[in-house]
Amino acid sequence: MSFESYYIGIDVGTGSARASLVKKDGFVVASSTHDTITYRDPNDHRIFEQSTTNIWSSICAAVKDCLSSSNVPPSSVKGLGFDATCSLAVSDFQGEPIVVTKGEQLGQYGDRNVVLWADHRAEKEADLINSSGSIVLDYVGGVMSLEMEIPKILWLKNHMEPTLFSRCQFFDLPDFLTYRATSNVTRSCCSLTCKCSYVPSSGWNAEFFERIGLGDISSTGYKQLGAEASNLLTAGRPVGKGLTKRAAEELGLVEGTPVGSGLIDAYAGWLGTVAARYKEGDKLSEVIPSLEASQHRLAAVAGTSTCHLVQSPKGVFVNGVWGPYKDAVFQGWWMNEGGQSSTGQLIDFILTTHPAYTTLVELAKAQENIEIQKRWRKEMDEASR
């Protein structure tokens, strides 16, 4: 019997779900990745959709892989946490997925219930929001991106039957995953503040929602968005009573295992970067990064997009830079974010359209089926010698 404690971190990116089993000191014992599905519209390049059912299935498979390959008993896993892309997940109030695809199925029950972060259908809605002059815009650098959640929710309101819209609850994807794991709807500071227009100093702004045409959300006490009566959590705080029996069985874990409040994937990357010790030459520095030192360390987090993030003890307002976001990661601290969308996606496009791509795939499969990007890196390193 193992008496050592282990923890599971789950990262849901644009194209896959990853799970890592770690010891208390951060040593990675096992890791597994499973692809997720993205649905496109052949007649509308703006559309990117996913399914929480598919994402959850990939998460469960990855977690079970980690337990199986490590022989760690489920009872030794003392907690798990989620990060994910800032995509809009839609369900009814019992957690059943609601279709977000335009057309006759919009608002009905079905698997395609995630508007991916990269989806650009809400351009008109974002323009309306940015003409509102609301204080909400002060906390996104003066201009709200159409990739944020409120423009997408407004698009759904404008295209969905009112009775169907009223039965929806809306989540930034990290918050949906903690909800799916615990059946507790408590949202995270990170998701609501950074992507859902929750104002740090005062919470939801009723005037803003009424002005842009989402007055129904404010008049019903924001139950569709969460954080009623300022009920939200900073990163890692326990959500509800931990894993439900259903979720525990699906993940291969123990009912009641603690679940931490989630983070947007880039913010999890920031935390892992600024909290890491650095090397001086070939030697690991003896300096242990502190919370106070984080304000002097900017992190560039590269994935499908590239995000530049920095934390400050006070709110810093900069035109064109998202934030400041209070309590996004640590209570009492503020975050600012900049960057560029789809930088990694562009690299993928260059790779997959290159004449030698099929050769690269074959080489990667021949080398113990490693990731294509790792094989590409090896080829580049050899070519530079």
Side-chain angles (χ1 to χ4, degrees):
M1 180 180 291
S2 172
F3 294 100
E4 191 163 11
S5 295
Y6 298 84
Y7 303 87
I8 293 177
I10 296 160
D11 166 53
V12 178
T14 301
S16 62
R18 294 167 285 275
S20 289
L21 179 70
V22 301
K23 294 183 178 182
K24 189 175 181 179
D25 63 1
F27 179 81
V28 178
V29 177
S31 186
S32 177
T33 301
H34 283 257
D35 289 342
T36 54
I37 299 169
T38 297
Y39 303 98
R40 302 297 309 277
D41 184 336
N43 300 312
D44 190 343
H45 69 277
R46 303 171 302 168
I47 303 301
F48 291 79
E49 295 172 352
Q50 292 187 334
S51 160
T52 55
T53 302
N54 170 251
I55 291 168
W56 186 255
S57 177
S58 294
I59 289 171
C60 292
V63 170
K64 288 179 177 178
D65 284 350
C66 290
L67 295 174
S68 175
S69 64
S70 65
N71 291 319
V72 169
S75 59
S76 292
V77 176
K78 303 304 180 182
L80 69 157
F82 297 90
D83 76 66
T85 64
C86 46
S87 302
L88 179 69
V90 184
S91 75
D92 70 4
F93 285 90
Q94 287 71 50
E96 295 300 317
I98 300 290
V99 173
V100 296
T101 307
K102 61 183 178 181
E104 294 181 356
Q105 290 299 309
L106 180 65
Q108 303 295 332
Y109 289 110
D111 282 344
R112 287 176 62 165
N113 69 318
V114 176
V115 184
L116 190 66
W117 66 268
D119 189 287
H120 280 194
R121 73 183 72 183
E123 185 175 0
K124 291 182 179 178
E125 287 75 15
D127 288 344
L128 172 64
I129 290 168
N130 287 321
S131 69
S132 68
S134 172
I135 188 177
V136 166
L137 301 177
D138 294 345
Y139 291 88
V140 289
V143 178
M144 185 174 294
S145 169
L146 78 171
E147 293 179 358
M148 292 182 172
E149 309 304 13
I150 298 304
K152 292 172 181 175
I153 293 171
L154 183 55
W155 184 94
L156 292 173
K157 170 70 183 301
N158 291 339
H159 292 83
M160 195 182 290
E161 290 291 333
T163 54
L164 299 181
F165 183 83
S166 65
R167 72 177 181 177
C168 295
Q169 55 177 341
F170 304 101
F171 297 86
D172 198 36
L173 185 55
D175 286 346
F176 179 86
L177 296 176
T178 59
Y179 168 62
R180 180 65 176 79
T182 67
S183 291
N184 188 293
V185 298
T186 304
R187 308 303 210 272
S188 66
C189 289
C190 188
S191 283
L192 288 200
T193 304
C194 300
K195 302 300 175 183
C196 299
S197 303
Y198 188 87
V199 179
S201 57
S202 56
W204 297 122
N205 188 292
E207 182 182 358
F208 166 70
F209 283 95
E210 291 167 6
R211 189 179 303 178
I212 66 172
L214 288 175
D216 290 350
I217 287 181
S218 60
S219 65
T220 53
Y222 304 101
K223 66 178 183 179
Q224 291 176 280
L225 289 175
E228 302 98 319
S230 301
N231 180 29
L232 66 171
L233 297 170
T234 49
R237 298 298 298 272
V239 179
K241 297 180 180 180
L243 288 180
T244 63
K245 181 179 180 180
R246 174 191 176 192
E249 290 175 350
E250 293 167 339
L251 291 163
L253 295 171
V254 176
E255 181 180 358
T257 300
V259 175
S261 183
L263 284 170
I264 296 167
D265 53 354
Y267 286 75
W270 170 84
L271 180 59
T273 302
V274 301
R277 293 162 67 187
Y278 55 88
K279 285 187 175 181
E280 295 176 328
D282 293 328
K283 184 180 179 182
L284 190 64
S285 171
E286 297 297 327
V287 177
I288 306 297
S290 66
L291 186 59
E292 288 69 27
S294 69
Q295 63 187 299
H296 306 297
R297 303 183 73 183
L298 182 143
V301 183
T304 306
S305 299
T306 303
C307 298
H308 296 78
L309 300 112
V310 67
Q311 181 171 253
S312 307
K314 296 181 179 180
V316 179
F317 293 82
V318 182
N319 286 335
V321 175
W322 290 347
Y325 301 131
K326 189 179 181 183
D327 302 334
V329 182
F330 291 103
Q331 190 167 6
W333 287 75
W334 300 71
M335 296 289 297
N336 287 86
E337 176 185 356
Q340 188 172 3
S341 294
S342 298
T343 49
Q345 206 167 41
L346 177 59
I347 294 173
D348 280 342
F349 175 79
I350 293 170
L351 274 176
T352 56
T353 57
H354 194 281
Y357 180 69
T358 54
T359 303
L360 181 64
V361 172
E362 292 170 1
L363 288 170
K365 288 181 177 179
Q367 190 178 340
E368 298 181 356
N369 209 30
I370 66 169
E371 293 178 4
I372 292 169
Q373 290 82 359
K374 290 182 179 179
R375 180 65 205 198
W376 180 43
R377 175 63 182 268
K378 182 179 180 181
E379 293 294 320
M380 296 294 288
D381 288 344
E382 291 178 355
S384 65
R385 291 173 183 168

